[in-house]
Amino acid sequence: MILAQEKLDSVGAVIRDASTGEPIQYANVYVSPTCGTISNDDGEFCLQCLPTDSIRISCIGFQRLSYRASELPATIRMRPISTQLRELTVRD
C-alpha cells in the first residue's frame, strides 16, 4: 500500500553479461509479482517504484540479483551460471 506522502520514482539501468559485456535481453526486473518489466534488446529497463523498494533481476543462465531502488547502479553486471541437467535417453 502506497501512502499519500510516498512518491514513486522512475529508475532504470542497463543489464550486461559480466563475462562478455554484451547486453542481456529480456531479463525479468520486478519489485513485486504485480509490478515489473523486462529489459529491451539493448539490456535497458525503466521501472516506477519507491526508493526503499527492493528490485530483483533474474534471467535464465545468470545469477539472480537484488538492489535497493535508491542504490541501483547505472550498469548491472550479471554473472553467468551453469546448471547440471539430468541425463536424457532417447529411444526409437
Side-chain angles (χ1 to χ4, degrees), residues 3 14 22 42 50 70 74 77 86 91:
L3 301 176
V14 61
E22 292 292 316
D42 298 319
L50 296 171
S70 61
R77 302 203 180 272
R86 293 181 296 159
R91 296 186 177 146

Side-chain angles (χ1 to χ4, degrees), residues 76-89:
I76 297 167
R77 302 203 180 272
M78 295 186 80
R79 292 187 186 148
I81 57 171
S82 60
T83 304
Q84 181 84 24
L85 299 176
R86 293 181 296 159
E87 184 176 318
L88 176 68
T89 303

